Amino acid sequence: MKKLIYGNLKMNFNLKDMENYCELFLKKVEQSKNEIAIFPSFTNLMFTKQKLTASKVLLGAQNLSSEVSGAYTGEISADMLKSVGAELVIVGHSERRKLFLEKNETINKKIKQALSQGLKVVLCVGETKYERQNRKYKMALEKIISETLKGLYENELKNIIIAYEPIWAIGTGVLPTVKEIEEAANIIRNQVSVEFTSQAAKNLKLLYGGSVNTQNCKQFLGANGINGLLVGGASLKADEFAKICNS
Ligand code: PGA
């Protein structure tokens, strides 16, 4: 079955690097049966869109403003992203929470902005190491789901993909077991069924993210209830990411 393989390039690649990356990467994934998306920095979006014209690879942004427009120096709106051809946007990444102090309430507003412009949302959720070690991860995941999806209509959920990204696994090489991922996927789907309906929970697309690489991707793709991967570090190497996309 078709999997969703998404690459979060984070704050990497100037325009020239992006050009080299596209040249290498796009050739290698031409035949892939999976749904592939890349999430470059804002400054590379327009250029990358041009590179993607003859490709099935989708384009996403890594963040957006929670506001429509106006005096918000340095911010990028959903409308701006849409106008340069972005189809998806990552919201609520743990790096934004930790380093830029984003709260669930802001993330909720960002989701609504993105949806209002027809962007699909990749909502990142995950527990901290402390919450995992103290068996508070169920509560933590439920709270994030409940607060970030607050006020949404059930039919909007088809445009939301949730990425389970345990914070302790991001960029660390520390991996959860498949059983732990499956348990988290169940917790997330359960909470979506509490907030919306069991049908919405069943239809929900769930990704796993955190230290995914060519060696471990197959085991995560095989986890029950997981529909794909959100790849950070390993998506920066065109060769390596193409292998994951083709798996
Ligand atoms: P990582 O990042 O693959 O480098 O752990 C994943 C992410 O931050 O989405």
Side-chain angles (χ1 to χ4, degrees):
M1 219 191 4
K2 186 170 88 168
K3 299 285 183 180
L4 281 54
I5 316 282
Y6 293 177
N8 175 9
L9 303 178
K10 306 196 181 180
M11 196 175 75
N12 294 289
F13 297 168
N14 64 22
L15 199 56
K16 188 72 199 152
D17 300 331
M18 196 67 219
E19 183 174 15
N20 294 338
Y21 180 86
C22 287
E23 235 126 73
L24 278 171
F25 177 68
L26 295 178
K27 267 190 262 158
K28 290 183 192 291
V29 295
E30 260 169 18
Q31 307 296 326
S32 177
K33 303 255 182 315
N34 293 322
E35 177 180 304
I36 301 164
I38 47 177
F39 297 74
S41 58
F42 290 136
T43 52
N44 286 334
L45 281 174
M46 238 175 116
F47 171 80
T48 306
K49 186 67 189 179
Q50 289 160 13
K51 289 280 166 192
L52 294 181
T53 41
S55 147
K56 283 183 297 188
V57 173
L58 303 173
L59 181 69
Q62 298 170 17
N63 183 29
L64 83 165
S65 171
S66 58
E67 303 298 330
V68 181
S69 68
Y72 300 100
T73 302
E75 291 290 275
I76 306 280
S77 72
D79 173 48
M80 290 169 186
L81 295 179
K82 188 74 186 176
S83 73
V84 295
E87 293 147 294
L88 299 137
V89 61
I90 295 173
V91 178
H93 191 280
S94 63
E95 284 152 15
R96 300 240 29 114
R97 289 176 180 276
K98 189 170 158 220
L99 305 171
F100 304 98
L101 310 180
E102 268 183 28
K103 298 274 173 283
N104 288 339
E105 198 189 342
T106 312
I107 293 165
N108 177 254
K109 282 175 79 180
K110 289 188 175 198
I111 293 174
K112 288 174 180 164
Q113 281 304 321
L115 294 177
S116 76
Q117 291 299 325
L119 291 165
K120 280 197 176 182
V121 170
V122 180
L123 169 64
C124 298
V125 307
E127 78 281 1
T128 61
K129 190 173 167 190
Y130 173 87
E131 287 161 343
R132 170 61 56 176
Q133 284 172 342
N134 291 281
R135 302 198 57 80
K136 292 183 191 299
Y137 55 93
K138 182 169 183 285
M139 233 169 61
L141 290 171
E142 288 171 352
K143 183 171 162 35
I144 298 176
I145 298 288
S146 160
E147 293 182 3
T148 57
L149 299 183
K150 196 171 168 189
L152 295 179
Y153 296 105
E154 185 186 340
N155 69 357
E156 291 179 304
L157 280 196
K158 63 177 184 300
N159 292 320
I160 298 182
I161 296 145
I162 296 186
Y164 170 58
E165 298 207 306
I167 296 169
W168 45 275
I170 297 179
T172 58
V174 182
L175 297 173
T177 62
V178 167
K179 227 173 125 219
E180 283 171 334
I181 294 174
E182 289 174 343
E183 186 195 12
N186 270 332
I187 293 169
I188 294 166
R189 279 189 208 280
N190 262 332
Q191 193 58 26
V192 168
S193 82
V194 168
E195 306 285 336
F196 298 91
T197 61
S198 56
Q199 193 57 40
K202 209 172 139 214
N203 294 342
L204 181 72
K205 294 263 186 287
L206 266 183
L207 312 181
Y208 166 73
S211 298
V212 172
N213 60 32
T214 46
Q215 271 90 58
N216 60 33
C217 62
K218 285 212 179 87
Q219 94 191 51
F220 296 138
L221 283 172
N224 275 326
I226 291 296
N227 308 99
L229 303 169
L230 181 56
V231 186
S235 71
L236 294 177
K237 295 172 211 116
D239 252 8
E240 192 166 340
F241 189 44
K243 277 187 199 143
I244 299 173
C245 291
N246 293 326
S247 58

